[in-house]
Coordinates of all heavy atoms in Angstrom, one line a residue:
A171 N 34.5 -8.8 16.9 CA 33.6 -9.8 17.5 C 33.7 -9.7 19.0 O 32.7 -9.6 19.7 CB 34.1 -11.2 17.1
A172 N 34.9 -9.6 19.5 CA 35.1 -9.5 21.0 C 34.3 -8.3 21.6 O 33.7 -8.4 22.6 CB 36.6 -9.4 21.4
E173 N 34.4 -7.1 20.9 CA 33.8 -5.9 21.4 C 32.3 -6.0 21.3 O 31.5 -5.2 21.8 CB 34.3 -4.7 20.6 CG 35.7 -4.4 21.1 CD 36.4 -3.3 20.2 OE1 35.8 -2.8 19.3 OE2 37.6 -3.0 20.6
N174 N 31.8 -6.9 20.5 CA 30.3 -7.1 20.3 C 29.8 -8.4 21.0 O 28.7 -8.9 20.6 CB 30.0 -7.1 18.8 CG 30.0 -5.7 18.2 OD1 29.2 -4.9 18.5 ND2 31.1 -5.4 17.6
D175 N 30.6 -8.9 21.9 CA 30.2 -10.0 22.7 C 29.9 -11.2 21.8 O 28.9 -11.9 22.0 CB 29.0 -9.7 23.6 CG 28.8 -10.7 24.6 OD1 29.7 -11.4 25.0 OD2 27.6 -10.8 25.1
A176 N 30.6 -11.4 20.7 CA 30.4 -12.4 19.7 C 31.6 -13.4 19.6 O 32.7 -13.0 20.0 CB 30.1 -11.8 18.3
L177 N 31.3 -14.6 19.2 CA 32.4 -15.5 19.0 C 33.2 -15.3 17.8 O 34.4 -15.5 17.7 CB 31.9 -17.0 19.0 CG 32.9 -18.1 18.8 CD1 33.7 -18.2 20.1 CD2 32.2 -19.4 18.5
E178 N 32.5 -14.8 16.7 CA 33.2 -14.6 15.5 C 32.6 -13.5 14.7 O 31.4 -13.1 14.8 CB 33.1 -15.9 14.7 CG 33.8 -16.0 13.3 CD 35.3 -15.7 13.3 OE1 35.7 -14.6 13.7 OE2 36.1 -16.6 12.9
T179 N 33.4 -12.9 13.8 CA 32.9 -11.9 12.8 C 32.8 -12.6 11.5 O 33.8 -13.2 11.0 CB 33.8 -10.7 12.7 OG1 33.9 -10.0 13.9 CG2 33.3 -9.7 11.6
I180 N 31.7 -12.6 10.8 CA 31.5 -13.3 9.5 C 31.6 -12.1 8.5 O 30.9 -11.1 8.6 CB 30.1 -14.0 9.5 CG1 30.1 -15.1 10.5 CG2 29.8 -14.4 8.0 CD1 28.8 -15.9 10.5
Q181 N 32.5 -12.3 7.5 CA 32.9 -11.3 6.6 C 32.2 -11.4 5.3 O 31.9 -12.6 4.8 CB 34.4 -11.2 6.4 CG 35.1 -11.0 7.7 CD 36.6 -11.2 7.5 OE1 37.3 -10.2 7.3 NE2 37.1 -12.4 7.5
L182 N 31.8 -10.3 4.7 CA 31.2 -10.2 3.3 C 32.0 -9.3 2.5 O 32.5 -8.3 2.9 CB 29.8 -9.7 3.5 CG 28.8 -10.5 4.3 CD1 27.8 -9.7 5.1 CD2 28.1 -11.5 3.3
R183 N 32.2 -9.8 1.2 CA 33.0 -8.9 0.2 C 32.1 -8.8 -1.0 O 31.6 -9.8 -1.5 CB 34.3 -9.6 -0.2 CG 35.3 -8.7 -0.9 CD 36.4 -9.4 -1.5 NE 37.4 -9.9 -0.6 CZ 38.5 -9.2 -0.2 NH1 38.7 -8.0 -0.6 NH2 39.4 -9.7 0.6
D184 N 31.8 -7.5 -1.4 CA 30.9 -7.3 -2.5 C 29.6 -8.0 -2.4 O 29.1 -8.6 -3.3 CB 31.6 -7.7 -3.8 CG 33.0 -7.0 -4.0 OD1 33.1 -5.9 -3.5 OD2 33.9 -7.6 -4.6
G185 N 29.1 -8.1 -1.2 CA 27.8 -8.7 -0.9 C 27.8 -10.2 -0.9 O 26.7 -10.8 -0.8
L186 N 29.0 -10.8 -0.9 CA 29.1 -12.3 -0.9 C 29.8 -12.7 0.4 O 30.8 -12.0 0.8 CB 29.8 -12.8 -2.1 CG 29.2 -12.5 -3.5 CD1 30.1 -13.0 -4.6 CD2 27.8 -13.1 -3.6
L187 N 29.4 -13.8 1.0 CA 30.0 -14.4 2.1 C 31.4 -14.8 1.8 O 31.6 -15.5 0.8 CB 29.2 -15.6 2.6 CG 29.8 -16.5 3.7 CD1 29.9 -15.7 5.0 CD2 29.0 -17.8 3.8
T188 N 32.4 -14.4 2.7 CA 33.7 -15.0 2.5 C 34.0 -16.0 3.7 O 33.7 -17.2 3.5 CB 34.8 -13.9 2.4 OG1 34.8 -13.0 3.5 CG2 34.7 -13.1 1.1
E189 N 34.4 -15.5 4.8 CA 34.7 -16.4 5.9 C 34.8 -15.6 7.2 O 34.6 -14.4 7.3 CB 36.1 -17.1 5.7 CG 37.3 -16.2 5.6 CD 38.6 -16.9 5.3 OE1 38.7 -18.1 5.6 OE2 39.5 -16.2 5.0
G190 N 35.1 -16.3 8.3 CA 35.2 -15.6 9.6 C 36.6 -15.1 9.8 O 37.5 -15.2 8.9
S191 N 36.9 -14.5 10.9 CA 38.3 -13.9 11.2 C 39.3 -15.0 11.3 O 40.4 -14.9 10.9 CB 38.3 -13.1 12.4 OG 38.2 -13.9 13.6
S192 N 38.8 -16.2 11.8 CA 39.7 -17.4 11.9 C 39.0 -18.7 11.7 O 39.2 -19.6 12.4 CB 40.5 -17.3 13.2 OG 39.6 -17.4 14.3
S193 N 38.0 -18.7 10.8 CA 37.2 -19.9 10.6 C 36.5 -19.8 9.2 O 36.4 -18.7 8.7 CB 36.1 -20.0 11.7 OG 35.2 -18.8 11.6
N194 N 36.2 -21.0 8.7 CA 35.3 -21.0 7.5 C 33.8 -21.0 8.0 O 33.5 -21.4 9.1 CB 35.6 -22.3 6.7 CG 36.9 -22.2 6.0 OD1 37.8 -23.0 6.2 ND2 37.2 -21.2 5.2
V195 N 33.0 -20.5 7.1 CA 31.5 -20.4 7.4 C 30.7 -21.2 6.5 O 31.0 -21.3 5.3 CB 31.1 -18.9 7.3 CG1 29.7 -18.7 7.6 CG2 32.0 -18.0 8.2
W196 N 29.7 -21.9 7.0 CA 28.8 -22.7 6.3 C 27.4 -22.3 6.6 O 27.0 -21.9 7.7 CB 29.0 -24.2 6.8 CG 30.4 -24.6 6.8 CD1 31.3 -24.3 7.8 CD2 31.2 -25.2 5.8 NE1 32.6 -24.8 7.5 CE2 32.5 -25.3 6.2 CE3 30.8 -25.7 4.5 CZ2 33.5 -25.9 5.4 CZ3 31.8 -26.2 3.7 CH2 33.1 -26.3 4.2
I197 N 26.5 -22.4 5.5 CA 25.1 -22.2 5.8 C 24.3 -23.4 5.3 O 24.7 -24.1 4.5 CB 24.6 -20.8 5.1 CG1 24.4 -21.0 3.6 CG2 25.4 -19.6 5.5 CD1 23.4 -19.9 3.0
V198 N 23.1 -23.5 5.9 CA 22.2 -24.5 5.4 C 20.9 -23.9 5.0 O 20.4 -23.0 5.7 CB 21.9 -25.5 6.6 CG1 20.8 -26.6 6.2 CG2 23.1 -26.1 7.2
K199 N 20.4 -24.3 3.8 CA 19.1 -23.9 3.4 C 18.3 -25.1 2.8 O 18.9 -25.7 1.9 CB 19.2 -22.7 2.3 CG 18.0 -22.0 2.0 CD 17.5 -21.2 3.2 CE 16.0 -20.8 3.0 NZ 15.5 -20.1 4.2
G200 N 17.1 -25.3 3.3 CA 16.3 -26.4 2.7 C 17.1 -27.7 2.8 O 17.0 -28.5 1.8
G201 N 17.9 -28.0 3.8 CA 18.6 -29.3 3.9 C 19.9 -29.3 3.2 O 20.6 -30.3 3.3
R202 N 20.2 -28.3 2.4 CA 21.4 -28.3 1.6 C 22.5 -27.5 2.4 O 22.2 -26.4 2.9 CB 21.3 -27.6 0.3 CG 20.3 -28.3 -0.7 CD 20.2 -27.6 -2.0 NE 21.3 -28.0 -2.9 CZ 21.3 -29.1 -3.5 NH1 20.4 -30.0 -3.4 NH2 22.3 -29.3 -4.3
L203 N 23.7 -28.0 2.3 CA 24.8 -27.3 3.0 C 25.6 -26.5 1.9 O 25.9 -27.1 0.8 CB 25.8 -28.4 3.6 CG 27.1 -27.8 4.3 CD1 26.7 -27.1 5.5 CD2 28.0 -29.0 4.6
L204 N 25.8 -25.3 2.2 CA 26.5 -24.4 1.2 C 27.8 -23.8 1.8 O 27.8 -23.4 3.0 CB 25.7 -23.2 0.8 CG 24.2 -23.5 0.3 CD1 23.5 -22.2 0.0 CD2 24.3 -24.4 -1.0
G205 N 28.9 -23.8 1.0 CA 30.2 -23.2 1.4 C 30.6 -22.3 0.4 O 30.5 -22.5 -0.8
A206 N 31.3 -21.2 0.8 CA 31.8 -20.2 -0.2 C 32.9 -20.8 -1.0 O 33.6 -21.7 -0.5 CB 32.4 -19.0 0.6
P207 N 33.0 -20.4 -2.3 CA 34.0 -21.1 -3.1 C 35.5 -21.0 -2.6 O 35.9 -19.9 -2.1 CB 33.9 -20.3 -4.5 CG 32.6 -19.5 -4.4 CD 32.3 -19.3 -2.9
R208 N 36.2 -22.1 -2.7 CA 37.6 -22.0 -2.5 C 38.3 -21.1 -3.5 O 37.8 -21.0 -4.6 CB 38.2 -23.4 -2.5 CG 37.9 -24.2 -1.3 CD 38.2 -25.7 -1.4 NE 37.1 -26.4 -2.1 CZ 36.8 -27.7 -1.8 NH1 37.5 -28.4 -1.0 NH2 35.8 -28.2 -2.4
G209 N 39.3 -20.5 -3.1 CA 40.0 -19.5 -4.0 C 40.7 -18.5 -3.2 O 40.8 -18.6 -2.0
P210 N 41.1 -17.4 -3.8 CA 41.9 -16.4 -3.1 C 41.2 -15.5 -2.1 O 41.8 -14.9 -1.3 CB 42.4 -15.4 -4.3 CG 41.5 -15.7 -5.4 CD 41.0 -17.1 -5.3
R211 N 39.8 -15.6 -2.1 CA 39.1 -14.8 -1.1 C 38.9 -15.5 0.3 O 38.5 -14.8 1.2 CB 37.7 -14.5 -1.6 CG 37.7 -13.6 -2.8 CD 36.4 -13.6 -3.5 NE 36.6 -12.7 -4.7 CZ 35.9 -11.6 -4.8 NH1 35.0 -11.2 -4.0 NH2 36.2 -10.8 -5.9
I212 N 39.3 -16.8 0.4 CA 39.2 -17.4 1.7 C 40.4 -18.3 1.9 O 41.0 -18.7 0.9 CB 37.9 -18.3 1.9 CG1 37.9 -19.5 0.9 CG2 36.6 -17.4 1.7 CD1 36.8 -20.5 1.3
L213 N 40.6 -18.6 3.2 CA 41.6 -19.7 3.5 C 40.9 -21.0 3.4 O 39.8 -21.2 4.0 CB 42.2 -19.5 4.9 CG 43.2 -20.6 5.2 CD1 44.5 -20.4 4.6 CD2 43.3 -20.8 6.7
E214 N 41.4 -21.9 2.6 CA 40.8 -23.2 2.6 C 41.2 -24.0 3.9 O 42.3 -24.5 4.0 CB 41.2 -24.0 1.4 CG 40.5 -25.4 1.3 CD 41.0 -26.3 0.2 OE1 41.6 -25.8 -0.8 OE2 40.7 -27.5 0.3
G215 N 40.2 -24.0 4.8 CA 40.5 -24.7 6.1 C 40.7 -26.2 5.8 O 40.2 -26.7 4.8
I216 N 41.5 -26.8 6.7 CA 41.6 -28.2 6.6 C 40.3 -28.9 6.9 O 40.0 -30.0 6.4 CB 42.7 -28.7 7.7 CG1 44.1 -28.1 7.3 CG2 42.8 -30.2 7.7 CD1 44.5 -28.2 5.8
R217 N 39.4 -28.2 7.6 CA 38.1 -28.7 7.8 C 37.2 -28.5 6.5 O 36.1 -29.1 6.5 CB 37.4 -28.1 9.0 CG 37.7 -28.9 10.3 CD 38.2 -28.1 11.4 NE 39.6 -27.7 11.1 CZ 40.6 -28.5 11.3 NH1 40.5 -29.6 11.9 NH2 41.9 -28.1 11.0
Y218 N 37.6 -27.8 5.5 CA 36.8 -27.6 4.3 C 36.5 -29.0 3.7 O 35.4 -29.4 3.5 CB 37.4 -26.6 3.3 CG 36.4 -26.0 2.4 CD1 36.0 -24.7 2.4 CD2 35.7 -26.8 1.5 CE1 35.1 -24.1 1.6 CE2 34.7 -26.3 0.6 CZ 34.4 -24.9 0.7 OH 33.5 -24.4 -0.2
A219 N 37.6 -29.6 3.3 CA 37.4 -30.9 2.6 C 36.8 -32.0 3.6 O 36.1 -32.8 3.1 CB 38.8 -31.4 2.1
L220 N 37.2 -31.8 4.8 CA 36.7 -32.8 5.8 C 35.1 -32.6 5.9 O 34.4 -33.7 5.9 CB 37.3 -32.5 7.2 CG 36.8 -33.3 8.4 CD1 37.0 -34.8 8.2 CD2 37.4 -32.8 9.7
I221 N 34.6 -31.4 5.9 CA 33.2 -31.2 6.1 C 32.5 -31.7 4.8 O 31.4 -32.3 4.9 CB 32.9 -29.8 6.5 CG1 33.2 -29.6 8.0 CG2 31.4 -29.4 6.1 CD1 33.0 -28.3 8.6
E222 N 33.1 -31.5 3.7 CA 32.6 -32.1 2.4 C 32.4 -33.6 2.6 O 31.4 -34.2 2.2 CB 33.6 -31.8 1.3 CG 33.2 -30.8 0.3 CD 34.2 -30.7 -0.8 OE1 35.4 -30.6 -0.6 OE2 33.7 -30.7 -2.0
E223 N 33.5 -34.3 3.1 CA 33.5 -35.7 3.3 C 32.4 -36.1 4.3 O 31.6 -37.1 4.0 CB 34.8 -36.2 3.9 CG 35.9 -36.4 3.0 CD 37.2 -36.7 3.8 OE1 37.2 -37.3 4.9 OE2 38.3 -36.1 3.4
L224 N 32.3 -35.4 5.4 CA 31.3 -35.7 6.4 C 29.9 -35.5 5.9 O 29.0 -36.3 6.3 CB 31.6 -34.8 7.7 CG 33.0 -34.9 8.3 CD1 33.0 -34.0 9.5 CD2 33.3 -36.4 8.7
A225 N 29.7 -34.5 5.1 CA 28.4 -34.2 4.5 C 28.0 -35.4 3.6 O 26.8 -35.9 3.7 CB 28.3 -32.9 3.8
A226 N 28.9 -35.9 2.8 CA 28.6 -37.0 1.9 C 28.3 -38.2 2.8 O 27.3 -38.9 2.5 CB 29.8 -37.3 1.0
E227 N 29.1 -38.4 3.8 CA 28.8 -39.6 4.7 C 27.4 -39.5 5.3 O 26.8 -40.6 5.5 CB 29.9 -39.6 5.8 CG 30.0 -40.7 6.7 CD 31.0 -40.5 7.8 OE1 32.2 -40.1 7.5 OE2 30.7 -40.6 9.0
A228 N 27.0 -38.3 5.7 CA 25.7 -38.1 6.4 C 24.6 -38.0 5.4 O 23.4 -37.7 5.8 CB 25.8 -37.0 7.3

Side-chain angles (χ1 to χ4, degrees):
E173 286 171 1
N174 286 283
D175 194 22
L177 181 68
E178 184 57 299
T179 299
I180 294 180
Q181 301 172 95
L182 294 146
R183 195 192 283 273
D184 304 329
L186 299 175
L187 170 66
T188 56
E189 62 179 343
S191 71
S192 59
S193 61
N194 290 121
V195 179
W196 311 85
I197 75 161
V198 176
K199 192 67 195 173
R202 298 180 81 76
L203 178 70
L204 307 178
R208 281 169 276 211
R211 288 163 186 249
I212 66 165
L213 178 78
E214 181 182 344
I216 298 310
R217 269 129 289 278
Y218 200 114
L220 174 62
I221 283 176
E222 254 184 312
E223 278 169 38
L224 302 180
E227 187 185 310

